[in-house]
Amino acid sequence: MPLTVGVIGPEDLVRRVVAYGGGTGTGAAARAGGSDAGFTRPRLLPVPYGHEDETGEAVLRARGSRADALLFTGVVPHARADAEGLLDRPALYVPYSGATLLRALVGLLRRGHDVSRVSIDTLRRADVRDTLAEAELPTDGVRVLPYRPGLTSRDLVAFHRDARDAHGCRVAITCLGSAYRALAADEGTHAVRLAPSRHSISATLRALVLATEGLRGGDAQVALGILDLPPGEDVLPAECAAVLGGSLAELPDGRRLVVTTRGALDKATDGFTRLPFPADASSCHGPAHFGFGLGRTAADAEALARRALNRARAVGPTAGVVSLPDDVDFVLSTGSAAWGTAGTAVAHRVGLSPVTVDRLRELAAAGPAGAGVTAQLVADHLSVQPRTARRILKRLERAGAAVPVGSLQQGRTGRPPTVYRFHL
């Protein structure tokens, strides 16, 4: 059965995404330069809103319609949904840099506009600079306001007007419909509203479908482990294969190979946090390294397992690593002295620095006993964005180092923040 993807954004952009992303065979994706081989197109569910302030309501409508994944027409509604904690399933947004921005600049040049002095909102400065440099266009007179949580349509309009009055930017390129409507009424400003290109829509939709299917079929995904142990060590490989419910073989170079599935590996390692056998790996008479890779095919899994094994060697004399696609690695706890302090063990396990773990300990100790912490407290203590703090807490929760114990309800509107208790 094909996936259902909820498309969220302004009505005109939602129509555009559905039209460009809903083709089959040699249709939209093929015309965009992609390939549909092995790609089952999803059912696209339009979920438009009238104003970006209605993003949360649109997400709830998509969830109520049982959408498997969410595709946002731009970064603004995606960031709003993320800030409200509504992204409980795979979600991506169509980027406006690259081909989309370049198409707009070419159109401006054809109509005789000066693109050496333009103001651009929402996009990242680096993306704008790279696109202009690739087109051999000047960048010195270009003003950019990257998107950040809390920016409103009024902020974007004020930015473009200031760029016009103070820096002579007569062309305003915006990603927000409400800002475009305000700027289009200004004398002396030529307003352009970016709309996602066919190529960007097709590429993002494909990535979203593959990510969602990967989660759906996680238990069936191939997991392959390479065990590099001292000569004569037979107990640990046998235990590892037994716990994983997989098969054990010996490679020509003497290392052991374990083949299993992602679901079995996830369960045996407690969510990729510890080595998958009961015995203490430090009992080996020599270095012991374990590399596990997850892939859509055995070849992909083997390549990632070898990468994981190399990473494990760099971690210490006794170490294990699970490698996923897109350069994601989980360092597995061994419970041995090779890991140093308990804080270092947690840091390795969840992919945080020991300094960050120590600062989180300080935060937990600073409050009343048993009070717990929220994402906002973590953000304030670490001087990071609330979104980053939520990701840190999710990492800790996955590793068993943070446990949600309730939520703050009193005197608050909207979604109450979750309270966590650390086990660091």
Side-chain angles (χ1 to χ4, degrees), residues 309-336:
L309 190 64
N310 290 332
R311 169 81 191 278
R313 292 194 186 102
V315 170
T318 303
V321 172
V322 176
S323 286
L324 282 64
D326 300 324
D327 294 325
V328 176
D329 293 327
F330 293 92
V331 180
L332 305 177
S333 172
T334 63
S336 74

Side-chain angles (χ1 to χ4, degrees), residues 97 101 105 115-132 138-148 151 155-156 158-160 162-164 167 169 171-175 194:
S97 55
L101 176 59
L105 293 171
V115 298
S116 66
R117 290 190 177 276
V118 299
S119 53
I120 304 172
D121 65 45
T122 302
L123 306 185
R124 296 187 306 174
R125 290 189 178 88
D127 292 339
V128 172
R129 183 173 59 250
D130 291 346
T131 299
L132 293 172
T139 60
D140 293 343
V142 177
R143 304 292 166 181
V144 181
L145 177 65
Y147 179 77
R148 65 178 184 273
L151 278 180
D155 295 328
L156 301 190
F159 156 73
H160 287 291
D162 179 70
R164 178 195 62 199
H167 305 285
C169 298
V171 174
I173 299 178
T174 181
C175 298
L194 289 182

Side-chain angles (χ1 to χ4, degrees), residues 12-344:
D12 58 336
L13 296 187
V14 167
R15 288 200 305 268
R16 183 185 186 93
V17 169
V18 171
Y20 285 172
T24 57
T26 57
R31 289 193 297 272
S35 171
D36 279 337
F39 176 57
T40 301
R41 288 193 165 275
R43 182 175 76 94
L44 299 183
L45 174 68
V47 191
Y49 56 66
H51 191 276
E52 53 269 12
D53 289 343
E54 301 168 7
T55 297
E57 297 173 10
V59 172
L60 294 177
R61 293 204 310 272
R63 285 167 31 170
S65 300
R66 299 186 180 278
D68 300 294
L70 305 176
L71 179 62
F72 293 86
T73 62
V75 64
V76 174
H78 180 276
R80 282 174 171 255
D82 189 20
E84 294 178 31
L86 297 176
L87 301 185
D88 63 344
R89 62 205 64 199
L92 292 176
Y93 65 87
V94 183
Y96 284 13
S97 55
T100 299
L101 176 59
L102 188 59
R103 185 187 60 183
L105 293 171
V106 170
L108 288 167
L109 285 170
R110 286 176 175 171
R111 292 190 290 273
H113 292 281
D114 180 11
V115 298
S116 66
R117 290 190 177 276
V118 299
S119 53
I120 304 172
D121 65 45
T122 302
L123 306 185
R124 296 187 306 174
R125 290 189 178 88
D127 292 339
V128 172
R129 183 173 59 250
D130 291 346
T131 299
L132 293 172
E134 186 174 347
E136 298 183 355
L137 295 172
T139 60
D140 293 343
V142 177
R143 304 292 166 181
V144 181
L145 177 65
Y147 179 77
R148 65 178 184 273
L151 278 180
T152 66
S153 176
R154 288 185 178 182
D155 295 328
L156 301 190
V157 172
F159 156 73
H160 287 291
R161 288 172 177 168
D162 179 70
R164 178 195 62 199
D165 298 339
H167 305 285
C169 298
R170 298 295 174 181
V171 174
I173 299 178
T174 181
C175 298
L176 208 58
S178 55
Y180 169 77
R181 289 188 288 273
L183 293 167
D186 285 357
E187 282 191 32
T189 297
H190 180 80
V192 175
R193 180 188 175 199
L194 289 182
S197 68
R198 187 188 299 269
H199 172 80
S200 297
I201 292 169
S202 179
T204 307
L205 182 61
R206 185 181 183 87
L208 180 59
V209 169
L210 291 176
T212 308
E213 287 180 339
L215 290 177
R216 268 187 167 185
D219 285 346
Q221 194 174 14
V222 178
L224 191 148
I226 300 177
L227 317 183
D228 191 4
L229 305 172
E233 178 55 63
D234 295 322
V235 175
L236 284 180
E239 283 189 335
C240 184
V243 171
L244 290 171
S247 58
L248 183 65
E250 186 169 342
L251 296 171
D253 59 7
R255 292 181 296 185
R256 307 301 178 88
L257 181 71
V258 178
V259 181
T260 184
T261 64
R262 176 176 182 147
L265 181 63
D266 182 83
K267 181 178 180 180
T269 59
D270 289 339
F272 309 145
T273 61
R274 65 175 183 83
L275 286 171
F277 34 77
D280 187 354
S282 64
S283 63
C284 288
H285 300 290
H289 298 109
F290 311 85
F292 296 91
L294 303 179
R296 295 176 64 85
T297 66
D300 292 341
E302 181 179 359
L304 289 170
R306 294 186 184 280
R307 185 185 85 184
L309 190 64
N310 290 332
R311 169 81 191 278
R313 292 194 186 102
V315 170
T318 303
V321 172
V322 176
S323 286
L324 282 64
D326 300 324
D327 294 325
V328 176
D329 293 327
F330 293 92
V331 180
L332 305 177
S333 172
T334 63
S336 74
W339 291 89
T341 67
T344 303

